Amino acid sequence: MTIELTQPYSPEKHHSHRDVTGGWLRPAVFGAMDGLVSNLALIAGVVGAAGAGRGAVVAGVAGLIAGACSMAAGEYTSVKSQTELMRAEIAVERRELARNPEGEQAELAAMYRAKGLDEDLARRVAEGLSADPEQALRVHVREELGVDPDDLPSPYVAAASSFCAFAAGALVPLVPFLFGASGLVVAMIVSVLALFGFGAAVARMTARPWWLGGLRQLALGAGAAAVTFGLGHLLGVTVS
């Protein structure tokens, strides 16, 4: 019996994943939230101590610039150091592969046996992968260090993401004062909406309940602003 295919064969379509290793999401999220919360708290403290006015604007602008530069420098140094450490360990693995290829191949076979392959298949897989030294290096680095040698995080991406995100977040509570706001109410309303909205957006991105993420960020930001406003008010009363 002959079976005819009525439709041409097509490879199975697999789902795709978002980039989770590019080094931009964590500094961007952290920078935006830090900028919004810290500048809101700073402005609230100044308003609590001296009232709204030129002082709030100066404090907000200074907080934005200083915070964005500090965040960018910190992220650059952190990611650069991490990447340099990764490259150093990759160099160690490269030297081991050149010095003792048989031992590294046996080590790779042992890894695959531990993953459930039988001894003969694990040996053949390790032998096939070890035929190309560069491919062998990539496999060893992924298995032993848990990193992709071809996709290490970029300190420049991390620094730029952090700088821009912090500046954007810090601008939110500052904008009402730049347009002549006479009190903290408008800045708080705008900041509360931004905190909830950004928290909800991040939660959706990470497959968490949007309302929970929004409320969490709202509670953290509002709590920080309340503390600094209270301390600023006490300080202003004491000084005056």
Side-chain angles (χ1 to χ4, degrees), residues 3-25:
I3 299 177
E4 294 183 359
L5 296 177
T6 58
Q7 295 180 349
Y9 171 77
S10 61
E12 181 184 356
K13 294 182 179 179
H14 294 280
H15 60 277
S16 60
H17 291 283
R18 291 169 292 180
D19 176 23
V20 297
T21 61
W24 63 271
L25 180 60

Side-chain angles (χ1 to χ4, degrees), residues 50-168:
R54 181 178 174 82
V57 174
V58 172
V61 172
L64 187 156
I65 296 172
C69 292
S70 176
M71 286 287 295
E75 282 293 336
Y76 177 85
T77 302
S78 174
V79 176
K80 183 69 172 178
S81 300
Q82 181 187 21
T83 303
E84 288 173 346
L85 177 60
M86 291 177 183
R87 293 190 188 282
E89 292 302 309
I90 292 171
V92 170
E93 193 63 37
R94 187 185 295 277
R95 288 195 297 270
E96 283 298 308
L97 281 166
R99 185 181 65 85
N100 184 20
E102 294 81 7
E104 292 296 302
Q105 182 176 319
E107 182 182 28
L108 193 58
M111 292 179 191
Y112 287 118
R113 286 199 301 272
K115 291 179 181 293
L117 298 184
D118 62 65
E119 184 172 353
D120 182 61
L121 180 57
R123 178 187 58 79
R124 287 189 285 115
V125 170
E127 183 179 348
L129 291 174
S130 299
D132 180 357
E134 287 301 315
Q135 176 67 19
L137 176 65
R138 294 188 186 93
V139 173
H140 277 278
V141 169
R142 291 191 186 102
E143 294 291 340
E144 297 180 34
L145 301 179
V147 299
D148 186 348
D150 298 322
D151 190 25
L152 298 179
S154 167
Y156 301 102
V157 171
S161 300
S162 185
F163 182 93
C164 295
F166 186 98

